Amino acid sequence: MDTVEQGANAHEHHHGYISRKDDYLKRLRRIEGQARGLQRMVEDEKYCIDILTQVSAMTKALQAVSLGLLEDHLGHCVVEAARTGGREADEKVREASEAIARLVRS
Amino acid sequence: MDTVEQGANAHEHHHGYISRKDDYLKRLRRIEGQARGLQRMVEDEKYCIDILTQVSAMTKALQAVSLGLLEDHLGHCVVEAARTGGREADEKVREASEAIARLVRS
Amino acid sequence: MDTVEQGANAHEHHHGYISRKDDYLKRLRRIEGQARGLQRMVEDEKYCIDILTQVSAMTKALQAVSLGLLEDHLGHCVVEAARTGGREADEKVREASEAIARLVRS
Amino acid sequence: MDTVEQGANAHEHHHGYISRKDDYLKRLRRIEGQARGLQRMVEDEKYCIDILTQVSAMTKALQAVSLGLLEDHLGHCVVEAARTGGREADEKVREASEAIARLVRS
């Protein structure tokens, strides 16, 4: 906790979600594909409601990614900070809460 | 309601949010008032869009309550469980994550 | 459309949702009851996650009310304005869209 | 892609959003870029909270696309159906309301 904070060394410091990295990458590639599919739909002037349905599906997929990342974050960074204790723990809780608020409001 | 206010036994059971109890109660009373105000608006057949604006305000107020409760929960129950460690910590993280998912999806 | 615009006379002008007024009032009374239930839960210091579950349920109930009101509004006011045509229609569409945006973002 | 997909003739059938097609395509390309950026962040094991912030930004961008498409849809298809009248209007209103509900819930 005292040294590398923000990524300096990917080998020494992994942020918890590393174990499911491949899963996240696969989902994000699929989401990227959905973004391309939406462009084709607009290009081809598909029916507006069908496009909206696709946007909802894509939003849900993104949401699932954030909820997964958040759970990983709580289970790793926040739990670890809680064990360290003191201000570190308070800060991590506040930071996670702000991320949750952004998520809920978006 | 008339007797033990702060939780039969503060040592055995305090759920973290106790310190801000009055604040939460005040907000929830205001939200209850908004629910009554909405009934009057429907009763008086106010313009639909104005009612929707009030519903949005009330939803935001509710959301603020949940985000506050969640932060308290993370800062108390989850942090405490993290210190205890083991399965207790895992369970609290999973439980909190499920609550966050419900919040994000509602 | 030329006279009473924003409620002046409830007898002459009802905003479309009148037919389901009782249904909306019933739902809103239930929502008011949920707000009171939440106060009791906080008062009794119930477990934070259980309170959050109730808040999610209440948010969903509110959302269902707004979606119902919005559908009524589209089916009455917007459709009527569309028939009248011209700027009236454009304004109603913009106004409805803004209400939808507030709803989606709340 | 090559032939008639959703309506014989683009001149006879344009779904309303055609005028802002380029704007939508530009936004969707940017969203596709955000999806690729997120993959890089996961690949490089960036800090979880920073990834969540990006996901929130991307969700908001997607939401803005749906709200725009929905407004176009109301202003064109729904208004047109309202003028045609009868079951056509009812169906379009119901269909739009269902799309709004999916949007609000996602």
Side-chain angles (χ1 to χ4, degrees):
Chain A
M1 215 54 57
D2 41 12
T3 53
V4 274
E5 264 302 319
Q6 192 86 353
N9 190 326
H11 293 289
E12 280 170 15
H13 119 112
H14 29 110
H15 286 306
Y17 57 83
I18 194 168
S19 58
R20 298 168 58 192
K21 202 167 154 174
D22 286 343
D23 176 47
Y24 287 123
L25 286 174
K26 207 166 67 183
R27 289 161 181 238
L28 287 170
R29 271 193 297 268
R30 206 178 305 133
I31 287 167
E32 187 195 334
Q34 286 175 298
R36 265 195 303 271
L38 279 170
Q39 288 168 62
R40 271 192 306 275
M41 290 182 92
V42 169
E43 198 69 88
D44 298 350
E45 284 160 46
K46 293 295 187 203
Y47 185 47
C48 191
I49 295 289
D50 295 334
I51 302 184
L52 286 173
T53 303
Q54 281 308 101
V55 177
S56 291
M58 194 176 154
T59 306
K60 269 189 198 300
L62 260 179
Q63 227 171 48
V65 167
S66 8
L67 292 171
L69 284 168
L70 194 63
E71 182 165 2
D72 289 351
H73 179 70
L74 293 177
H76 290 86
C77 301
V78 176
V79 161
E80 216 165 278
R83 283 170 193 160
T84 310
R87 282 186 49 197
E88 178 74 9
D90 293 348
E91 269 165 36
K92 287 290 177 198
V93 165
R94 177 187 312 271
E95 187 189 55
S97 300
E98 284 166 2
I100 294 165
R102 279 192 298 270
L103 221 67
V104 168
R105 288 180 182 133
S106 71
Chain B
M1 211 68 52
D2 41 12
T3 54
V4 274
E5 268 296 322
Q6 296 286 103
N9 191 325
H11 292 290
E12 279 167 18
H13 121 113
H14 34 119
H15 286 311
Y17 56 84
I18 195 168
S19 58
R20 297 168 56 193
K21 202 167 157 175
D22 286 343
D23 176 48
Y24 287 123
L25 286 174
K26 207 165 68 182
R27 288 163 183 238
L28 288 169
R29 270 193 298 269
R30 206 180 304 134
I31 287 166
E32 187 195 335
Q34 287 175 299
R36 265 196 303 273
L38 279 169
Q39 288 168 63
R40 271 193 306 276
M41 289 182 92
V42 169
E43 199 68 88
D44 298 350
E45 286 160 44
K46 292 295 185 206
Y47 186 47
C48 193
I49 295 289
D50 295 334
I51 302 183
L52 287 173
T53 302
Q54 282 308 101
V55 177
S56 292
M58 193 176 154
T59 307
K60 269 188 198 302
L62 260 179
Q63 227 172 47
V65 168
S66 9
L67 292 172
L69 284 168
L70 194 64
E71 182 165 1
D72 289 351
H73 179 69
L74 292 177
H76 291 86
C77 300
V78 175
V79 161
E80 218 165 274
R83 283 169 193 161
T84 309
R87 282 188 48 198
E88 178 74 6
D90 293 348
E91 269 165 37
K92 287 290 176 198
V93 164
R94 178 188 312 270
E95 189 189 54
S97 300
E98 284 166 2
I100 295 165
R102 279 194 297 273
L103 220 68
V104 167
R105 285 176 185 136
S106 72
Chain C
M1 214 55 57
D2 41 11
T3 53
V4 275
E5 266 299 321
Q6 192 87 354
N9 191 326
H11 293 288
E12 279 170 15
H13 118 113
H14 28 110
H15 286 305
Y17 57 83
I18 193 168
S19 58
R20 299 168 57 192
K21 203 167 154 174
D22 286 344
D23 176 47
Y24 287 124
L25 286 173
K26 208 165 67 184
R27 289 163 183 236
L28 287 170
R29 272 192 297 269
R30 206 179 304 133
I31 287 167
E32 188 195 333
Q34 286 176 298
R36 265 195 303 272
L38 279 169
Q39 288 167 62
R40 270 192 306 277
M41 289 181 92
V42 169
E43 199 68 89
D44 298 350
E45 285 161 43
K46 294 293 185 205
Y47 186 47
C48 192
I49 294 289
D50 294 333
I51 302 184
L52 287 173
T53 302
Q54 281 309 101
V55 176
S56 291
M58 193 175 155
T59 306
K60 269 189 198 302
L62 259 180
Q63 225 171 49
V65 167
S66 10
L67 291 171
L69 284 168
L70 193 64
E71 182 165 1
D72 289 351
H73 179 70
L74 293 177
H76 290 87
C77 300
V78 175
V79 161
E80 216 165 277
R83 282 170 193 159
T84 310
R87 281 186 49 197
E88 178 74 8
D90 293 347
E91 270 164 36
K92 287 291 175 197
V93 164
R94 178 186 312 269
E95 189 189 53
S97 300
E98 283 166 3
I100 295 165
R102 279 192 298 271
L103 222 68
V104 168
R105 288 179 183 133
S106 72
Chain D
M1 209 70 49
D2 40 12
T3 54
V4 270
E5 272 291 329
Q6 187 93 347
N9 189 323
H11 292 289
E12 279 167 16
H13 119 110
H14 32 115
H15 285 309
Y17 56 84
I18 195 169
S19 57
R20 297 167 57 193
K21 203 167 156 173
D22 286 342
D23 176 47
Y24 286 123
L25 286 173
K26 207 165 68 181
R27 290 164 183 235
L28 288 169
R29 271 193 297 268
R30 206 179 305 135
I31 287 167
E32 186 194 336
Q34 286 175 298
R36 264 195 304 271
L38 279 169
Q39 287 167 64
R40 270 192 307 275
M41 289 181 92
V42 170
E43 198 69 87
D44 298 350
E45 286 160 45
K46 293 294 183 205
Y47 186 48
C48 193
I49 295 290
D50 295 333
I51 301 183
L52 286 173
T53 302
Q54 282 308 101
V55 177
S56 291
M58 194 175 154
T59 306
K60 268 188 197 302
L62 259 178
Q63 227 172 47
V65 167
S66 10
L67 292 171
L69 284 168
L70 194 64
E71 182 165 2
D72 289 351
H73 179 70
L74 293 177
H76 290 85
C77 300
V78 175
V79 160
E80 219 165 275
R83 283 169 192 161
T84 309
R87 284 186 47 199
E88 178 74 6
D90 293 348
E91 270 165 36
K92 287 290 175 197
V93 165
R94 177 187 312 271
E95 188 189 55
S97 301
E98 284 166 2
I100 295 165
R102 279 193 298 272
L103 221 67
V104 167
R105 287 178 184 134
S106 72

